[in-house]
mmCIF file of all heavy atoms in Angstrom:
data_model
loop_
_atom_site.group_PDB
_atom_site.id
_atom_site.type_symbol
_atom_site.label_atom_id
_atom_site.label_comp_id
_atom_site.label_asym_id
_atom_site.label_seq_id
_atom_site.Cartn_x
_atom_site.Cartn_y
_atom_site.Cartn_z
ATOM 1 N N PRO A 22 -9.220 4.946 21.300
ATOM 2 C CA PRO A 22 -8.262 4.323 22.194
ATOM 3 C C PRO A 22 -8.163 2.798 21.991
ATOM 4 O O PRO A 22 -7.097 2.208 22.176
ATOM 5 C CB PRO A 22 -8.798 4.655 23.613
ATOM 6 C CG PRO A 22 -9.595 5.909 23.392
ATOM 7 C CD PRO A 22 -10.225 5.745 22.054
ATOM 8 N N ILE A 23 -9.286 2.169 21.659
ATOM 9 C CA ILE A 23 -9.288 0.715 21.425
ATOM 10 C C ILE A 23 -8.418 0.350 20.243
ATOM 11 O O ILE A 23 -7.563 -0.541 20.317
ATOM 12 C CB ILE A 23 -10.732 0.213 21.219
ATOM 13 C CG1 ILE A 23 -11.572 0.427 22.478
ATOM 14 C CG2 ILE A 23 -10.694 -1.285 20.844
ATOM 15 C CD1 ILE A 23 -13.043 0.047 22.310
ATOM 16 N N ILE A 24 -8.622 1.060 19.155
ATOM 17 C CA ILE A 24 -7.815 0.795 17.938
ATOM 18 C C ILE A 24 -6.343 1.117 18.191
ATOM 19 O O ILE A 24 -5.465 0.386 17.688
ATOM 20 C CB ILE A 24 -8.360 1.595 16.752
ATOM 21 C CG1 ILE A 24 -9.807 1.147 16.433
ATOM 22 C CG2 ILE A 24 -7.480 1.423 15.539
ATOM 23 C CD1 ILE A 24 -10.464 1.968 15.340
ATOM 24 N N SER A 25 -6.083 2.153 18.957
ATOM 25 C CA SER A 25 -4.707 2.514 19.275
ATOM 26 C C SER A 25 -3.985 1.382 20.002
ATOM 27 O O SER A 25 -2.812 1.114 19.774
ATOM 28 C CB SER A 25 -4.668 3.783 20.143
ATOM 29 O OG SER A 25 -5.071 4.918 19.392
ATOM 30 N N LEU A 26 -4.720 0.689 20.893
ATOM 31 C CA LEU A 26 -4.123 -0.443 21.600
ATOM 32 C C LEU A 26 -3.702 -1.544 20.648
ATOM 33 O O LEU A 26 -2.629 -2.117 20.785
ATOM 34 C CB LEU A 26 -5.118 -0.965 22.635
ATOM 35 C CG LEU A 26 -5.338 -0.134 23.921
ATOM 36 C CD1 LEU A 26 -6.459 -0.724 24.769
ATOM 37 C CD2 LEU A 26 -4.059 0.009 24.701
ATOM 38 N N TYR A 27 -4.568 -1.829 19.709
ATOM 39 C CA TYR A 27 -4.268 -2.882 18.725
ATOM 40 C C TYR A 27 -3.088 -2.480 17.833
ATOM 41 O O TYR A 27 -2.212 -3.307 17.553
ATOM 42 C CB TYR A 27 -5.479 -3.191 17.883
ATOM 43 C CG TYR A 27 -6.489 -4.082 18.589
ATOM 44 C CD1 TYR A 27 -7.397 -3.555 19.481
ATOM 45 C CD2 TYR A 27 -6.503 -5.449 18.355
ATOM 46 C CE1 TYR A 27 -8.322 -4.380 20.136
ATOM 47 C CE2 TYR A 27 -7.426 -6.281 18.996
ATOM 48 C CZ TYR A 27 -8.321 -5.729 19.898
ATOM 49 O OH TYR A 27 -9.214 -6.538 20.553
ATOM 50 N N LEU A 28 -3.103 -1.240 17.378
ATOM 51 C CA LEU A 28 -2.008 -0.791 16.525
ATOM 52 C C LEU A 28 -0.707 -0.736 17.269
ATOM 53 O O LEU A 28 0.349 -1.101 16.760
ATOM 54 C CB LEU A 28 -2.338 0.598 15.953
ATOM 55 C CG LEU A 28 -3.548 0.684 15.015
ATOM 56 C CD1 LEU A 28 -3.758 2.109 14.559
ATOM 57 C CD2 LEU A 28 -3.377 -0.253 13.830
ATOM 58 N N GLY A 29 -0.782 -0.340 18.554
ATOM 59 C CA GLY A 29 0.410 -0.292 19.397
ATOM 60 C C GLY A 29 1.004 -1.657 19.655
ATOM 61 O O GLY A 29 2.204 -1.799 19.884
ATOM 62 N N ALA A 30 0.123 -2.675 19.607
ATOM 63 C CA ALA A 30 0.571 -4.061 19.833
ATOM 64 C C ALA A 30 1.021 -4.725 18.503
ATOM 65 O O ALA A 30 1.291 -5.926 18.487
ATOM 66 C CB ALA A 30 -0.507 -4.881 20.499
ATOM 67 N N GLY A 31 1.053 -3.928 17.443
ATOM 68 C CA GLY A 31 1.443 -4.495 16.160
ATOM 69 C C GLY A 31 0.384 -5.335 15.495
ATOM 70 O O GLY A 31 0.691 -6.241 14.700
ATOM 71 N N LEU A 32 -0.886 -5.042 15.833
ATOM 72 C CA LEU A 32 -1.984 -5.829 15.299
ATOM 73 C C LEU A 32 -2.825 -5.033 14.302
ATOM 74 O O LEU A 32 -4.065 -5.121 14.294
ATOM 75 C CB LEU A 32 -2.867 -6.318 16.452
ATOM 76 C CG LEU A 32 -2.217 -7.305 17.435
ATOM 77 C CD1 LEU A 32 -3.136 -7.631 18.581
ATOM 78 C CD2 LEU A 32 -1.797 -8.582 16.706
ATOM 79 N N GLY A 33 -2.128 -4.304 13.469
ATOM 80 C CA GLY A 33 -2.846 -3.536 12.442
ATOM 81 C C GLY A 33 -3.593 -4.457 11.492
ATOM 82 O O GLY A 33 -4.667 -4.096 10.995
ATOM 83 N N ASP A 34 -3.075 -5.649 11.261
ATOM 84 C CA ASP A 34 -3.752 -6.593 10.373
ATOM 85 C C ASP A 34 -5.078 -7.067 10.968
ATOM 86 O O ASP A 34 -6.028 -7.348 10.273
ATOM 87 C CB ASP A 34 -2.854 -7.781 10.061
ATOM 88 C CG ASP A 34 -2.364 -8.477 11.315
ATOM 89 O OD1 ASP A 34 -2.239 -7.814 12.375
ATOM 90 O OD2 ASP A 34 -2.073 -9.686 11.254
ATOM 91 N N VAL A 35 -5.117 -7.141 12.320
ATOM 92 C CA VAL A 35 -6.327 -7.541 12.994
ATOM 93 C C VAL A 35 -7.394 -6.478 12.806
ATOM 94 O O VAL A 35 -8.576 -6.792 12.566
ATOM 95 C CB VAL A 35 -6.069 -7.793 14.498
ATOM 96 C CG1 VAL A 35 -7.359 -7.887 15.278
ATOM 97 C CG2 VAL A 35 -5.236 -9.043 14.694
ATOM 98 N N VAL A 36 -6.989 -5.204 12.945
ATOM 99 C CA VAL A 36 -7.944 -4.113 12.761
ATOM 100 C C VAL A 36 -8.485 -4.111 11.324
ATOM 101 O O VAL A 36 -9.703 -3.971 11.107
ATOM 102 C CB VAL A 36 -7.271 -2.759 13.059
ATOM 103 C CG1 VAL A 36 -8.224 -1.599 12.756
ATOM 104 C CG2 VAL A 36 -6.808 -2.680 14.499
ATOM 105 N N ALA A 37 -7.595 -4.305 10.353
ATOM 106 C CA ALA A 37 -8.023 -4.329 8.965
ATOM 107 C C ALA A 37 -8.957 -5.508 8.704
ATOM 108 O O ALA A 37 -9.980 -5.371 7.972
ATOM 109 C CB ALA A 37 -6.805 -4.414 8.045
ATOM 110 N N LEU A 38 -8.658 -6.665 9.287
ATOM 111 C CA LEU A 38 -9.494 -7.844 9.080
ATOM 112 C C LEU A 38 -10.847 -7.662 9.733
ATOM 113 O O LEU A 38 -11.890 -8.074 9.174
ATOM 114 C CB LEU A 38 -8.790 -9.062 9.679
ATOM 115 C CG LEU A 38 -9.442 -10.444 9.406
ATOM 116 C CD1 LEU A 38 -9.599 -10.677 7.894
ATOM 117 C CD2 LEU A 38 -8.619 -11.561 10.032
ATOM 118 N N ALA A 39 -10.880 -7.006 10.906
ATOM 119 C CA ALA A 39 -12.156 -6.746 11.583
ATOM 120 C C ALA A 39 -12.998 -5.788 10.755
ATOM 121 O O ALA A 39 -14.230 -5.965 10.657
ATOM 122 C CB ALA A 39 -11.911 -6.183 12.957
ATOM 123 N N LEU A 40 -12.372 -4.784 10.175
ATOM 124 C CA LEU A 40 -13.095 -3.832 9.322
ATOM 125 C C LEU A 40 -13.675 -4.561 8.095
ATOM 126 O O LEU A 40 -14.845 -4.363 7.738
ATOM 127 C CB LEU A 40 -12.161 -2.703 8.863
ATOM 128 C CG LEU A 40 -11.919 -1.579 9.855
ATOM 129 C CD1 LEU A 40 -10.798 -0.650 9.344
ATOM 130 C CD2 LEU A 40 -13.199 -0.785 10.090
ATOM 131 N N ALA A 41 -12.843 -5.376 7.460
ATOM 132 C CA ALA A 41 -13.298 -6.110 6.277
ATOM 133 C C ALA A 41 -14.427 -7.062 6.620
ATOM 134 O O ALA A 41 -15.401 -7.194 5.898
ATOM 135 C CB ALA A 41 -12.135 -6.849 5.641
ATOM 136 N N GLY A 42 -14.280 -7.762 7.746
ATOM 137 C CA GLY A 42 -15.301 -8.693 8.195
ATOM 138 C C GLY A 42 -16.612 -8.010 8.488
ATOM 139 O O GLY A 42 -17.691 -8.490 8.127
ATOM 140 N N THR A 43 -16.531 -6.846 9.157
ATOM 141 C CA THR A 43 -17.741 -6.092 9.479
ATOM 142 C C THR A 43 -18.469 -5.631 8.226
ATOM 143 O O THR A 43 -19.675 -5.767 8.099
ATOM 144 C CB THR A 43 -17.393 -4.841 10.337
ATOM 145 O OG1 THR A 43 -16.727 -5.293 11.535
ATOM 146 C CG2 THR A 43 -18.649 -4.091 10.724
ATOM 147 N N ALA A 44 -17.695 -5.083 7.275
ATOM 148 C CA ALA A 44 -18.283 -4.643 6.016
ATOM 149 C C ALA A 44 -18.927 -5.806 5.261
ATOM 150 O O ALA A 44 -20.049 -5.668 4.710
ATOM 151 C CB ALA A 44 -17.215 -3.972 5.144
ATOM 152 N N THR A 45 -18.243 -6.944 5.244
ATOM 153 C CA THR A 45 -18.786 -8.116 4.528
ATOM 154 C C THR A 45 -20.091 -8.584 5.150
ATOM 155 O O THR A 45 -21.057 -8.855 4.430
ATOM 156 C CB THR A 45 -17.754 -9.258 4.569
ATOM 157 O OG1 THR A 45 -16.555 -8.835 3.923
ATOM 158 C CG2 THR A 45 -18.290 -10.483 3.856
ATOM 159 N N VAL A 46 -20.137 -8.663 6.474
ATOM 160 C CA VAL A 46 -21.345 -9.110 7.161
ATOM 161 C C VAL A 46 -22.502 -8.152 6.878
ATOM 162 O O VAL A 46 -23.607 -8.586 6.528
ATOM 163 C CB VAL A 46 -21.106 -9.200 8.675
ATOM 164 C CG1 VAL A 46 -22.427 -9.400 9.413
ATOM 165 C CG2 VAL A 46 -20.140 -10.335 8.990
ATOM 166 N N PHE A 47 -22.246 -6.850 6.985
ATOM 167 C CA PHE A 47 -23.332 -5.887 6.789
ATOM 168 C C PHE A 47 -23.867 -5.915 5.364
ATOM 169 O O PHE A 47 -25.081 -5.991 5.150
ATOM 170 C CB PHE A 47 -22.826 -4.478 7.117
ATOM 171 C CG PHE A 47 -23.851 -3.415 6.790
ATOM 172 C CD1 PHE A 47 -24.980 -3.250 7.592
ATOM 173 C CD2 PHE A 47 -23.698 -2.579 5.704
ATOM 174 C CE1 PHE A 47 -25.930 -2.298 7.274
ATOM 175 C CE2 PHE A 47 -24.637 -1.604 5.385
ATOM 176 C CZ PHE A 47 -25.759 -1.455 6.188
ATOM 177 N N PHE A 48 -22.984 -5.853 4.375
ATOM 178 C CA PHE A 48 -23.436 -5.823 3.003
ATOM 179 C C PHE A 48 -24.092 -7.137 2.598
ATOM 180 O O PHE A 48 -25.088 -7.132 1.847
ATOM 181 C CB PHE A 48 -22.244 -5.522 2.062
ATOM 182 C CG PHE A 48 -21.830 -4.055 2.099
ATOM 183 C CD1 PHE A 48 -20.563 -3.731 2.525
ATOM 184 C CD2 PHE A 48 -22.713 -3.068 1.732
ATOM 185 C CE1 PHE A 48 -20.176 -2.383 2.553
ATOM 186 C CE2 PHE A 48 -22.341 -1.735 1.775
ATOM 187 C CZ PHE A 48 -21.072 -1.377 2.171
ATOM 188 N N ALA A 49 -23.589 -8.253 3.068
ATOM 189 C CA ALA A 49 -24.181 -9.559 2.740
ATOM 190 C C ALA A 49 -25.604 -9.675 3.305
ATOM 191 O O ALA A 49 -26.531 -10.096 2.615
ATOM 192 C CB ALA A 49 -23.295 -10.682 3.251
#
């Protein structure tokens, strides 16, 4: 439901950036 709210608000780029940022932090 959280991601749905962001996508519904047209913030798909925010979700993608958060995913990329999370992966970068973890792997680094």
Side-chain angles (χ1 to χ4, degrees):
I23 296 175
I24 296 176
S25 291
L26 286 175
Y27 281 82
L28 296 180
L32 295 175
D34 56 331
V35 167
V36 176
L38 187 57
L40 280 172
T43 302
T45 300
V46 170
F47 174 73
F48 285 118

